[in-house]
Amino acid sequence: MCKNNGHNNSVKEIKRVAIIGAGAIGSYFIVGLSQKLGENLEVIAEGERKERLIKNGIVVNGERIPLNVKTPEQAAGADLLIVAVKYGALKEIIPMVEKIIDDHTIVMSPLNGVESEEIIGSKIGMEHMVFSIMKISSQRVDNKINYNPDITMGVFFGEKDGSVSERILAIQDLLEGSGVNYSICDDIERTIWYKYALNISRNIPQAIVNCEFGAYDTSEHVSYISKKMREEVVKVAAAKGIDISDENNPACSVASTSPKARFSTLQDLDAKRTTEIEMLSGALVRMGKELGIETPYNDFAYHTVKALEEKNSGKIS
């Protein structure tokens, strides 16, 4: 038996799963868990969005997926809640989260960045949170999502203290035999920061330059910007007691990525959507100021991407 280290360990079997967000991450869980859970997999929405999801479903790799859409009130008491919204919508969906959870509910927010668990946990209690991230190769256009199952590693999760608790085993039992790839991490916080550094150093430079992934190998200048942005993440992480300096760590790998790949920030700019720059360079700049660490490359990148968003919206011509 694992000792209780302040976790909510009351769930020994996950029978009902609720998902908020049906984009790239949410759709991966929906497709992967739908056959195993059937009607016990619920996609949460309200108002016009609820009606739209019921009518249209989602399209994943060319196949239309019907959704079992419920309001937060109808999903109350779910065993596991997966929060898969974009960072910009995270705070506004907290009231939905509060309606769904009860004392035993586990909450996972496998979003990019390093803040989502604390943002949610500060409102509902950190004892509900299991730390997690996603590694998924995907592209979204409207309600159509395409992902490459061959190089999608899936969800990485674990307790912050590294223990294998009853709820970690319950999540493992849920995912085993489903279509969701997973890994249990004994140092999930470090893994999250490695992914954060990867997102910042590989997502943002190509979005600013408007280039394909292969430019990191073919352009010394794109590579230089990437390196400098990562170095700033390493410094901030070190100040928080997290060592992500090893660039040869498997968590740094982007193996099998197509040289033509356009990552999420560039996809958002292509589609004239709001990006997640606040969660990436924006958050790093804020943490740097709090810790007295200068982050000039990420500061510049943040304002550049925000300017590109303004250009897309017509605010600047």
Side-chain angles (χ1 to χ4, degrees), residues 190 193-202 205 223-238 243-249 251-253 281 284 295 297-298:
R190 189 168 180 239
W193 272 85
Y194 265 120
K195 174 74 184 305
Y196 183 50
L198 192 64
N199 270 324
I200 282 179
S201 63
R202 294 304 180 106
S223 177
Y224 179 86
I225 297 167
S226 174
K227 179 182 178 181
K228 290 298 183 180
M229 291 183 72
R230 186 182 190 279
E231 286 176 356
E232 293 177 355
V233 185
V234 172
K235 289 178 182 178
V236 171
D243 181 6
I244 58 167
S245 59
D246 181 11
E247 293 189 55
N248 295 317
N249 188 287
C252 297
S253 174
S281 292
L284 189 79
T295 56
Y297 283 89
N298 276 277

Side-chain angles (χ1 to χ4, degrees), residues 236 240 282-295:
V236 171
K240 290 177 171 286
L284 189 79
V285 170
R286 292 193 298 272
M287 287 185 282
K289 288 179 179 177
E290 293 169 1
L291 295 165
I293 297 172
E294 294 186 353
T295 56

Side-chain angles (χ1 to χ4, degrees), residues 160-176:
K160 193 174 181 180
D161 62 12
S163 64
V164 183
S165 62
E166 286 184 342
R167 64 184 186 171
I168 294 298
L169 295 175
I171 297 169
Q172 180 183 32
D173 287 343
L174 169 71
L175 300 180
E176 189 66 31

